[in-house]
Amino acid sequence: MSTGGGSRNGAKMDLPRASFDRLNQLDTDELKAIFHDPNRLDDSWIAEHPIYRNLKQSRDELIAGNRSLAEFTLSREDSLNEAREKFVRSQNLLIQMKKEAEEQKRIYG
C-alpha cells in the first residue's frame, strides 16, 4: 500500500508506507516534538530513506560511468591529435596539388 504525497510541481508522488518505518516507530510525543521542531529530523533520517539511497546509488553509478568515459577519451587524445595532424597535412597537399593543376590548365589549356 502506498501513501500519496504532493510534490512541489503539483504531481502526485507515491511513497511506500514502509519508507516511513522510522516515523511509524515513534510515539505521539516524539512526533509532536518533530512537528514543532523539524530540525530534529537530522540528515540521518534522509540518508536512511530508501528513495535517497537509490538516488545516491544512481548518482554514484553515473559519476563512475562519466569518469570511465572521460578516462577513455583522454586515452585516445594522442591518437586523435596524430590523425588530425595527418588530415591537415593531406588537406594542405591537396590544396597545393589543386593550385598546380589549375596552373597547368591555365598554361596548357
Side-chain angles (χ1 to χ4, degrees):
M1 183 171 194
S2 62
T3 60
S7 67
R8 291 184 185 195
N9 65 5
K12 185 176 178 182
M13 184 168 72
D14 290 325
L15 298 175
R17 191 173 292 265
S19 68
F20 297 101
D21 276 345
R22 190 167 172 189
L23 285 175
N24 291 334
Q25 295 171 6
L26 300 178
D27 63 31
T28 305
D29 290 334
E30 291 169 317
L31 289 171
K32 284 180 183 177
I34 290 172
F35 177 76
H36 293 294
D37 183 13
N39 291 328
R40 293 180 66 141
L41 294 174
D42 61 11
D43 289 342
S44 69
W45 283 77
I46 295 170
E48 291 175 8
H49 198 279
I51 292 174
Y52 174 81
R53 286 195 313 260
N54 289 340
L55 287 172
K56 184 177 182 320
Q57 180 181 357
S58 295
R59 184 200 69 180
D60 293 345
E61 289 169 1
L62 288 170
I63 288 171
N66 190 17
R67 179 175 291 117
S68 176
L69 184 58
E71 289 170 355
F72 172 75
T73 301
L74 288 173
S75 74
R76 303 270 326 233
E77 187 175 20
D78 290 338
S79 64
L80 291 173
N81 284 336
E82 288 173 16
R84 183 181 303 115
E85 289 171 6
K86 183 178 178 182
F87 173 79
V88 169
R89 283 193 305 271
S90 297
Q91 183 183 30
N92 289 336
L93 178 61
L94 289 172
I95 290 170
Q96 183 60 37
M97 290 172 69
K98 179 183 175 190
K99 287 179 184 178
E100 290 173 7
E102 288 173 347
E103 181 65 22
Q104 291 289 328
K105 183 178 178 183
R106 187 185 64 77
I107 293 173
Y108 299 111

